Amino acid sequence: GTLSGPGTVTLTAAAVAEIHACVADAEAFSGAVTGAGTLAVCGDRAQTFADAALTVPKLELNGGVVAGTAFFGGGDLVLACNGGALWGTLSGVGTLSLTGTPKIALPADTFEQGGARMTLVQATSIPADAQAAFQKAEVVAPEGLPGSWTPHVSVSATEIKVSVGPSGTVLYFR
């Protein structure tokens, strides 16, 4: 099921904790996932974090959406993109490397809000291959992206951001 509320999940070496994101509007998880194992998210809903601490070496996005805010600490993080999507902020000290093809999921109210902007990743280091993969990321919306809307992913050695809005329109976010 979906993780929610506070608490700690400790993973031993080679262990995989699979979160099946299957509950709509579940309370966000504000606890910690620690250890030497892998945290895997699957399902067709969102696993939302609220300043959660992810001190595991690998986060797999196998389905569903990872949303909210999470800090990775204690070293580097491998983000394995296997069909799941990201619409949240992962930040931390260390290198964020990437396997697979990243997907960025826009929230359902993006079009009513007139656009969206999000910092997806902040890290000490994001390798060039991960930067290039995020620039080519698929941006998806619950009901499809209107033809007049254009996503833009900006990358640097320490940050990945996405913005989306109607083409030909200037959006100002504060």
Side-chain angles (χ1 to χ4, degrees), residues 12-173:
T12 59
V16 176
E18 186 169 87
I19 299 168
H20 186 79
C22 59
V23 178
D25 302 321
E27 180 184 357
F29 178 67
S30 59
V33 180
T34 65
T38 297
L39 179 62
V41 177
C42 66
D44 59 0
R45 303 285 177 130
Q47 171 59 59
T48 303
F49 294 113
D51 297 327
L54 306 179
T55 54
V56 293
K58 188 173 187 180
L59 173 61
E60 291 184 0
L61 305 180
N62 297 331
V65 176
V66 170
T69 56
F71 175 79
F72 65 92
D76 301 337
L77 179 69
V78 175
L79 182 63
C81 299
N82 305 319
L86 181 64
W87 183 255
T89 301
L90 294 174
S91 61
V93 177
T95 298
L96 183 122
S97 56
L98 180 74
T99 63
T101 303
K103 189 186 307 183
I104 301 166
L106 301 176
D109 66 350
T110 299
F111 309 117
E112 291 82 22
Q113 298 296 323
R117 182 181 179 137
M118 169 75 70
T119 298
L120 297 174
V121 176
Q122 292 176 316
T124 303
S125 173
I126 302 169
D129 61 335
Q131 293 175 44
F134 266 104
Q135 282 186 312
K136 297 175 187 172
E138 177 185 7
V139 178
V140 296
E143 302 200 7
L145 196 61
S148 63
W149 284 57
T150 304
H152 175 72
V153 179
S154 62
V155 300
S156 73
T158 60
E159 198 168 61
I160 297 170
K161 294 181 178 184
V162 63
S163 60
V164 63
S167 298
T169 301
V170 175
L171 296 175
Y172 178 71
F173 294 96

